[in-house]
Amino acid sequence: MICRSRLPRRKTKIERLDRLAIRGRAFLLAANPSRCTAEAVHETLEALRGGTAPASIKSVASPDLMKQVTRQADYSKWSRDFLDAGFSGG
């Protein structure tokens, strides 16, 4: 005898459409920041090619933001842990 509760339940059409809608929204949310990033990179490279000094570029992330985005504290800790493990023989 097969226990019906262990068989996978087939999703209804509405459930499948809801799932697709959620995935579609997630894709649309991700597309806009990517387009903004592409535009910022394009403007920066265009300015540099046009002779603008790198120090004169206005839209530059602050050092604190870069530390947060690159997870510098975590990376430094991981590097320290790795190097310490290599010297201790562990």
Side-chain angles (χ1 to χ4, degrees), residues 15-88:
E15 289 173 325
R16 288 192 307 265
L17 289 175
D18 286 345
R19 188 172 174 191
L20 287 173
I22 289 169
R23 285 184 180 177
R25 272 183 291 216
F27 176 75
L28 291 175
L29 291 174
N32 206 18
S34 297
R35 291 172 57 196
C36 293
T37 301
E39 179 67 21
V41 169
H42 179 265
E43 287 179 7
T44 301
L45 292 176
E46 195 173 63
L48 292 172
R49 183 183 292 160
T52 303
S56 299
I57 302 291
K58 295 177 182 169
S59 299
V60 178
S62 69
D64 289 336
L65 177 60
M66 289 306 299
K67 286 178 184 177
Q68 178 184 355
V69 170
T70 60
R71 297 176 62 184
Q72 184 179 0
D74 291 335
Y75 184 79
S76 295
K77 181 187 178 306
W78 297 331
S79 298
R80 239 183 349 269
D81 292 347
F82 176 78
L83 292 173
D84 289 344
F87 288 119
S88 66

